[in-house]
Amino acid sequence: MLSLYLFFFLSFVALISASMVLLSKKPIHAVLYLTLTFFTLAGHYILLNAQFLAVVHVIVYAGAIMVLFLFTVMLLNLNIEGEFQKSTLMKFVAAIAGGMLFLVLIGTLKSFDVSTVGNPEMTQIGLVKNLGKTLYSDYLMPFELSSILFLSAMVGAVMLGKKDKN
Amino acid sequence: METTVAQIQTIPLQYYILFCSALFSIGVIGVLAKRNALVIFMSVELMLNSANLLLTAFSAYRNDPAGQIFVFFIMVVAAAEVAIGLALLVVVYRSTKTIDINALDRLKW
């Protein structure tokens, strides 16, 4: 029962802070609300007993990606209030479109019976030991290839960020 | 650990689907409604995260580690994407002095 309350609390905070990302005028506030959303999602991972993913999520998102966003806001000096806004009509249309998408998703999934999926004797799979075994046996090749992806991303970012000589 | 397992069963999988759909829709609204390229990036991150959470939920309920491995790789790709995207944003800002995406219409016919 406790986990159900925890689920509702985390979902509530996540949805509110995700909306605040869109509603806040200053980019720096949006970044901070996004960090809050990421932390609540880490709570969701822990609730699902996916401890490895929770830790990786906090390290990657709340650690690395947030620092990148904050430094970009700082370097570009973007913290100016309400600089460029879309017209109210466009915002309204966007909200309608997003709401329609939500309704379509809910409507589709309502007819889909997920209760058969549930497995009563779950689950140790989210622990570091079991995920590590799978990652280093079945998924060894993609895991190694992702290091090449990171290398190329790093080279690309450095190349893009470099100042022109002339 | 048994108690945790018993507790998770009390949350229906439908709740996760509902929550993730709502989060994804918020991300879509952000991409459609905003003109600040940085906020659009953040909305894309929201969408990626909602997909990640749903993959994890299904993986946990089906007792299949492949879903969580997928989430791990999505995180890898998202990190690389953010690094490149923000570098591109800095380059765009240097050349146009703004990150308003409406300024980037030079390829428009």
Side-chain angles (χ1 to χ4, degrees), chain A residues 43-162:
Chain A
H44 271 298
Y45 286 132
I46 292 172
L47 212 56
L48 280 168
N49 214 7
Q51 297 163 7
F52 173 70
L53 282 183
V55 172
V56 170
H57 188 266
V58 168
I59 290 173
V60 170
Y61 280 100
I65 290 183
M66 273 316 105
V67 170
L68 272 178
F69 271 116
L70 282 174
F71 266 89
T72 315
V73 171
M74 192 190 79
L75 287 174
L76 301 190
N77 201 11
L78 289 175
N79 213 5
I80 310 154
E81 193 135 359
E83 203 183 356
F84 25 78
Q85 298 278 326
K86 269 192 177 161
S87 64
T88 321
L89 177 69
M90 285 302 292
K91 280 182 184 166
F92 192 64
V93 169
I96 296 270
M100 287 305 224
L101 176 72
F102 180 60
L103 284 184
V104 167
L105 283 175
I106 295 304
T108 327
L109 293 166
K110 217 177 161 193
S111 57
F112 166 56
D113 185 23
V114 283
S115 58
T116 55
V117 177
N119 196 328
E121 13 132 61
M122 43 171 281
T123 158
Q124 310 288 311
I125 57 163
L127 308 186
V128 179
K129 186 181 169 191
N130 302 318
L131 267 191
K133 270 182 191 158
T134 319
L135 192 60
Y136 280 104
S137 55
D138 297 344
Y139 296 91
L140 184 61
M141 186 65 183
F143 182 70
E144 296 293 341
L145 283 179
S146 66
S147 67
I148 298 177
L149 175 73
F150 267 131
L151 183 67
S152 58
M154 196 176 74
V155 170
V158 168
M159 202 208 76
L160 285 171
K162 206 174 56 179

